[in-house]
Amino acid sequence: LLKAHIFFFLGCYREGETDNCNQLWKTLCNNNLFNARSTDIKLDCMKEETLNIMVSETLCLTPRLTRSLSSIIYRKTKGNPLFVSRLMLSLSKEGILRPSFGRRRWEWDIQKIQCQKLPDDVAKFLTNCIEALSEDVKSSLKVLSCFG
């Protein structure tokens, strides 16, 4: 009876920021070594209309109602999918994007969103989000990162 060995690896990198000197990158590129299949998925930045549809579906509102919100999100994120999702989570955590139980829909404060200071770089934005966590949570993340 043959045992199947399954290894799942999910990686993320920015185009142009990997080179042949990186040992992990060389190993992953040489998947014949492991007789493994790999799939590269390229995420391009979304167009403004696509982002509006995503925001609309996420908030269960019509695209007409989310256009003002998605327009601001697009300007701040340039349509980067990772940046968009992290920004929406951040706005929700800060209460700027919030459910209104009285109106039975999501609502947001356009002025506060426009005034949000965001770094131009997604990595810096994520770093800021991690730095805002409590010391206990950051300590736990350090330990858990060792497990993959």
Side-chain angles (χ1 to χ4, degrees), residues 2 25 29 34 38 67 80 84 87 98 109 134 140 143:
L2 292 173
W25 184 250
C29 288
F34 302 107
S38 67
R67 193 164 323 284
N80 180 307
V84 168
L87 176 59
R98 62 196 171 279
D109 188 326
S134 72
S140 297
V143 171

Side-chain angles (χ1 to χ4, degrees), residues 70-88:
S70 61
S71 179
I72 294 169
I73 291 173
Y74 181 80
R75 282 195 307 271
K76 290 189 171 288
T77 64
K78 299 176 184 81
N80 180 307
L82 178 60
F83 210 169
V84 168
S85 64
R86 296 305 308 172
L87 176 59
M88 288 186 69

Side-chain angles (χ1 to χ4, degrees), residues 10-70:
L10 176 64
C12 179
Y13 65 92
R14 288 186 252 189
E15 212 168 34
E17 290 191 7
T18 56
D19 59 21
N20 292 331
C21 296
N22 182 301
Q23 193 60 43
L24 176 62
W25 184 250
K26 282 198 288 192
T27 303
L28 292 174
C29 288
N30 189 8
N31 60 14
N32 292 336
L33 179 68
F34 302 107
N35 194 24
R37 292 180 304 153
S38 67
T39 304
D40 286 337
I41 301 172
K42 182 178 180 181
L43 287 180
D44 287 324
C45 290
M46 292 183 275
K47 294 179 181 169
E48 189 169 354
E49 188 55 36
T50 304
L51 190 146
N52 186 40
I53 291 168
M54 185 190 98
V55 171
S56 164
E57 290 178 0
T58 301
L59 302 180
C60 299
L61 294 170
T62 64
R64 179 182 58 80
L65 293 174
T66 58
R67 193 164 323 284
S68 63
L69 173 63
S70 61

Side-chain angles (χ1 to χ4, degrees), residues 47-146:
K47 294 179 181 169
E48 189 169 354
E49 188 55 36
T50 304
L51 190 146
N52 186 40
I53 291 168
M54 185 190 98
V55 171
S56 164
E57 290 178 0
T58 301
L59 302 180
C60 299
L61 294 170
T62 64
R64 179 182 58 80
L65 293 174
T66 58
R67 193 164 323 284
S68 63
L69 173 63
S70 61
S71 179
I72 294 169
I73 291 173
Y74 181 80
R75 282 195 307 271
K76 290 189 171 288
T77 64
K78 299 176 184 81
N80 180 307
L82 178 60
F83 210 169
V84 168
S85 64
R86 296 305 308 172
L87 176 59
M88 288 186 69
L89 280 170
S90 175
L91 294 174
S92 178
K93 283 181 182 177
E94 294 173 27
I96 299 171
L97 173 63
R98 62 196 171 279
S100 169
F101 297 109
R103 296 177 68 195
R104 295 165 63 162
R105 59 168 270 195
W106 286 87
E107 59 186 21
W108 49 89
D109 188 326
I110 289 289
Q111 299 298 341
K112 286 184 179 178
I113 296 170
Q114 287 175 328
C115 293
Q116 285 281 113
K117 298 284 188 224
L118 297 175
D120 293 331
D121 184 0
V122 179
K124 182 64 178 161
F125 180 70
L126 293 174
T127 300
N128 291 349
C129 290
I130 291 170
E131 287 174 351
L133 297 172
S134 72
E135 288 303 317
D136 289 342
V137 172
K138 287 191 276 191
S139 179
S140 297
L141 284 174
K142 288 176 189 175
V143 171
L144 291 171
S145 71
C146 297

